[in-house]
Amino acid sequence: MTQLPNTHRDVLSFVRRVQIGTIAVALCFQARAEKLDTVLAALGCLGCHADEEEQIPEPASLRRFDAKEMASLLREYREGKRSGTVMNRIAAGLTNQDIEAIAGFLGKRP
Amino acid sequence: MIRRRRFLRLLAVCGMGWGLGGCASGKGLRSGGRVVVVGGGYGGATAARYLKQMNPGLTITLIEPQETYLSCPGSNEAVAGLGDMGTLARSYDWLRRELDIGKVTARVARLDRQRRRVILNDGAEVTYDRLVLSPGIDFRWEAIMGYDEAASRFVPHAWKAGPQTALLARQIRAMPDGGLVLITAPPSPYRCPPGPYERASLIAYYLKKHKPRSKILILDAKTRFSKQPAFEQAWRELYGDMVEWVSSEKEGRLERIDAAGRTVETEFDTFRADVLNVIPPQKAGVLAEQSGLTDASGWCPVDPLSFASVYDPAVYVIGDACQADPMPKSAFSANSQAKVCAAAIVASLAGEPPPDPLLINHCYSFVAPDQAISITGVYGYSRDDGQLIVRSTGETPPHGDRRREAGYARAWQRSFKKDVFGY
Ligand SMILES: Cc1cc2nc3c(=O)[nH]c(=O)nc-3n(C[C@H](O)[C@H](O)[C@H](O)COP(=O)(O)OP(=O)(O)OC[C@H]3O[C@@H](n4cnc5c(N)ncnc54)[C@H](O)[C@@H]3O)c2cc1C
């Protein structure tokens, strides 16, 4: 199993950092409401998945994955190549575009 | 203090780093606006949080009569004497401190939609550009003969967390071995479709341990229920024949309740209980009804693209009070709807159309303290008929991994509150 990252970020939680930063981009840079779709798809994940401060193995902290890993995990869940309890059901409702959007938004920046 | 400074610095960094001043429209994030949120439960608190995070330039006022919110998710465990009520509580301190959300501890007496004002119980008025209503449910006290608010003080519904939860827990603890717990389950739609059956499961867990000759009877106004196969499988495996579910097909209508005698009359039978838990038929919170935002169904029709009321484009209704078919009325749904609604309001104040919503519901039910089952739905929006559509659904199969899901369910209870109340 993947190890939890043990780097301790001092700035607020990852959630807040990414949310505010990216929403600023979504709203301002592109200045197009469609970009909020991306934000919305990703925010849906945060009802269950914690940020890095949560030191529990499951459900996985989203901080563990970079965008590529996250997208391929979601696709594997969707296609039934990886079995979970809940994630197969959720991934089944996502389009390729959703998956790219979620992973791009929540995945760890390299 | 430090955290707050960091947060402000963070905003400043975001502002500069992301080029806030360079918005194409010249408004974008900086556009101001007064948004009032009524109801600080799972829907309202989420909306307040994400409105501010999506646009820190907004002035957000959250109006809620309680200082401390008590979560219904987790309250069935408290009913069965598992876990204490303290873990259900959340304050608004984080929202106040970290996000500068104005929390007003008051009840809203009425809305003046013409003048876009909210009038509080003490007569004070708050003006809004956009209003979010998340008042939850109220009960149709007139629906069951013999059961009204006065009766609920000794025959609890326990469908709003608080003194009602504690009362039912005390009655379960005090009842004799060999007694009958009778739960009446309401017709759809209602708050938390699997809730009555989770409650029966956890009470059964307690009784099996402490009063093993007792029985639980669920008299249902429905002919089937949420996660039924997985619940029935779990009941058989864990509690033998302790839990009995009776469909309305068999017993017919609930005719009358004698609260003092803890007796329930159906079309065909009379049942006398040692502990009677009546979960009454429901409707949107009365404020929505009094404000002319409900239809004949008793719930608030909304445009699911934004959750704006079909009766007033400046008022948005989310959570249990709104009609968001096919989404069930759950805390998870309320949270998901609040995010969609926040994005739509931010867009609307910046003169943009609302984004396409993607909504999720995912509800766990404990069948024992270390075993849980779940149901999941992902919802999108169909521009063709202006309605929400199911993108995918699924539930725990009868032989699913209930222990693993219990671990997830516990983690959810914590991380979910953090997503809503910040801690
Ligand atoms: C036993 C039980 C178990 C449950 N378990 C789960 C679960 O595991 N998962 C899940 O997703 N959901 C669960 N739910 C459902 C969940 O509790 C509700 O769906 C959720 O609380 C809905 O959020 P809301 O914001 O619409 O309403 P609420 O959370 O009820 O919030 C409404 C708020 O509005 C305030 N209010 C009302 N009128 C006014 C007024 N006039 N002025 C100011 N404020 C006002 C109230 O004080 C209240 O705080 C459960 C429910 C029950 C009863």
Side-chain angles (χ1 to χ4, degrees), chain A residues 28 33 37 43 48 89 93 98, chain B residues 23 339 355 374 376 391-392 415:
Chain A
C28 272
D37 302 7
L43 291 187
C48 294
R89 306 176 208 157
D98 296 329
Chain B
C23 288
K339 291 168 179 171
S374 63
T376 314
R391 293 239 212 128
S392 68
S415 53

Side-chain angles (χ1 to χ4, degrees), chain A residues 48-63:
Chain A
C48 294
H49 289 273
D51 57 54
E52 61 185 320
E53 286 161 35
E54 208 72 48
Q55 297 292 310
I56 49 167
E58 287 192 299
S61 160
L62 297 179
R63 206 56 192 129

Side-chain angles (χ1 to χ4, degrees), chain A residues 36-91:
Chain A
L36 275 170
D37 302 7
T38 309
V39 177
L40 279 182
L43 291 187
C45 308
L46 301 176
C48 294
H49 289 273
D51 57 54
E52 61 185 320
E53 286 161 35
E54 208 72 48
Q55 297 292 310
I56 49 167
E58 287 192 299
S61 160
L62 297 179
R63 206 56 192 129
R64 282 191 208 161
F65 311 106
D66 65 29
K68 239 179 104 190
E69 282 172 308
M70 199 181 284
S72 74
L73 281 172
L74 284 170
R75 267 191 289 272
E76 284 172 24
Y77 276 124
R78 185 179 62 186
E79 281 134 34
K81 290 182 190 145
R82 174 179 288 267
S83 74
T85 53
V86 174
M87 280 314 300
N88 300 90
R89 306 176 208 157
I90 290 184

Side-chain angles (χ1 to χ4, degrees), chain B residues 36 113 116 128-132 308-309 311-316 345:
Chain B
V36 172
R113 295 202 274 113
R116 294 201 177 173
Y128 61 82
D129 300 310
R130 299 285 186 280
L131 177 68
V132 180
S309 164
Y311 303 123
D312 188 337
V315 178
Y316 297 71
I345 289 177

Side-chain angles (χ1 to χ4, degrees), chain A residues 10 12 16 19 21 23-25 27-29 31 33 36-37 40 43 47-48 51 58-59 85-86 89-90 93 98, chain B residues 3 6-7 18 23 50 53 94 339 346 352-353 355-356 362 374 376 391-392 394-396 408 411-412 415-416:
Chain A
D10 73 333
L12 302 163
R16 267 184 283 161
Q19 279 163 7
I23 290 161
V25 174
L27 263 180
C28 272
F29 247 36
L36 275 170
D37 302 7
L40 279 182
L43 291 187
C48 294
D51 57 54
E58 287 192 299
T85 53
V86 174
R89 306 176 208 157
I90 290 184
D98 296 329
Chain B
R3 299 196 66 194
R6 279 183 185 151
F7 181 65
W18 303 111
C23 288
Y50 282 98
Q53 291 201 315
W94 186 92
K339 291 168 179 171
V346 166
E352 301 278 352
D356 257 7
H362 176 61
S374 63
T376 314
R391 293 239 212 128
S392 68
E395 56 189 83
T396 306
Y408 293 166
W412 174 78
S415 53
F416 185 71

